[in-house]
Amino acid sequence: MTTVPAMIGEEAAKLDADDPLAPLRDRFLLPEGVVYLDGNSLGPLPAAVPPVLTDVVHRQWGTGLIRSWNEHGWWDAPLRVGDALGRLIGAEAGQTVAGDSTSVQLFTALSAAAALRPDRPLLVTDPGHFPTDRYLADAVARLHDLEVRHVPPAGLERFLASEGHRVAVVSYSPVDFRTGELYDMGALTAAAHRAGALVLWDLCHAAGALPVRVDDLGVDLAVGCGYKFLSGGPGAPAFLYVARRHHEALETPLTGWTGHADPFAMAPGYTPAPGIARARIGTPPVLSLLALEAALTVFDGVDLTRVRDKSLSLTGFFLRCADELLTPLGFEAVTPSDPARRGSQVSLRHPHAYGLVQALAAEGVIADMRAPDLLRFGVNALYTTHQDMLTAAVRLRDVVRRSAYDPAPQPSGRVV
Ligand SMILES: Cc1ncc(COP(=O)(O)O)c(C=O)c1O
């Protein structure tokens, strides 16, 4: 039988009762009886999305047919949705394009950065970066004759002191996808710039989760996905931000026809469109773009500093729950307790992470894991409650106490 320690239960109830963001939960269609702590992997369905998709499919596509490219703004969607995404990362209009996957946008961004710094031979990335970021750094380095250096964010200043003059671009994420550690985007951007290098941020785990100020920080390039904290749906379009000061010299590697200055002239050769429009590649995925556009309305009127405050309250509360209920059972919190160094997830280490996450899902709490031994609990302040965090900790404790899980490791090919 599940018992909740009274003091923590009262604290959760009080924090939730005082939460000014609580009404935002109604902007999502969350399944009954499920505690969803995997929005850092796939955001849940916003209530605004199904009616928009129904309209796009039946009226715009079904009735409007090809006329909808003009009449329903399909053609402009990559730039219009790009601007909507830009507002969430502190980018003024005209610098962000939506489309393709994060991986494709990374390829574009890294290649463009290499072309902007042709006299510099090094590409710096984090050894702990998400695999696609590392693989694409290697691919772009091969194509541009660069050398990849793996430097963790904590060691960047020291590395730049000796090698900075040779660095073309520093490619980092502000949040470690495994541990949830948050790095200082401002300090790292400034350090790269002092060395004359460009900086590329992968905002997959930051966009929509915390305030990001790409323009104010002078970030050169950024990418991110639409399906985590932005809740754009499975495989939602990604985005690319390029600071306006780089547009004129911007060379994109994938010179598809929709990035042409006059796509319908069907000209024999490629002339890039002015501005960020040249980063368009092929025919945009309209259904997904318009689903993402609808999803982004969950942020209407929402102040991301309030989102950040609540996210820290949720993760801080969960760390306290974990300390009391889970540490005695062999779990170790790997996410920093310092709020300034904590993204919007908490990761706990346990040798049986995979089996525990499966058992927890059977108990109605959906989290995920990263091999070999990290359980990840993603919070989204727009819908997560302190009670959710307590429920997760209590059910995890109970699963362990009952030994009600399979200790086998993650089978190859399983997503969660
Ligand atoms: C930091 C980061 N970059 C990129 C990706 C994935 O790239 P893509 O959207 O191309 O699959 C992820 C997925 O979790 C991620 O965490």
Side-chain angles (χ1 to χ4, degrees), residues 40-41 101-104 106 129-130 132-133 173 175 177 202-205 223 225 227-228 236 238 370 376:
N40 54 335
S41 216
S101 63
T102 320
S103 300
V104 171
L106 275 166
H129 214 332
F130 189 79
T132 208
D133 298 72
S173 165
V175 183
F177 77 101
D202 181 335
L203 300 176
C204 279
H205 289 270
V223 300
C225 68
Y227 49 76
K228 296 182 192 286
R370 285 293 170 256
R376 299 194 310 176

Side-chain angles (χ1 to χ4, degrees), residues 236-289:
F239 64 87
L240 167 71
Y241 160 90
V242 182
R244 203 180 309 280
R245 63 185 176 281
H246 295 306
H247 286 184
E248 216 173 307
L250 186 69
E251 281 180 35
T252 57
L254 298 168
T255 50
W257 73 289
T258 68
H260 193 282
D262 189 359
F264 292 95
M266 307 283 164
Y270 181 79
T271 306
I276 194 68
R278 74 183 53 179
R280 297 180 66 158
I281 302 170
T283 303
V286 172
L287 301 184
S288 307
L289 272 173

Side-chain angles (χ1 to χ4, degrees), residues 78-120:
L79 300 179
R80 189 177 69 245
V81 179
D83 283 344
L85 290 157
R87 286 193 281 281
L88 294 172
I89 59 166
E92 271 186 18
Q95 302 175 98
T96 311
V97 65
D100 302 289
S101 63
T102 320
S103 300
V104 171
Q105 301 294 12
L106 275 166
F107 179 72
T108 295
L110 287 164
S111 305
L116 285 165
R117 288 286 183 278
D119 48 339
R120 289 177 167 232

Side-chain angles (χ1 to χ4, degrees), residues 165-183:
H165 61 290
R166 302 176 67 221
V167 177
V169 57
V170 175
S171 169
Y172 280 163
S173 165
V175 183
D176 184 300
F177 77 101
R178 285 196 179 88
T179 65
E181 177 165 3
L182 175 69
Y183 302 113

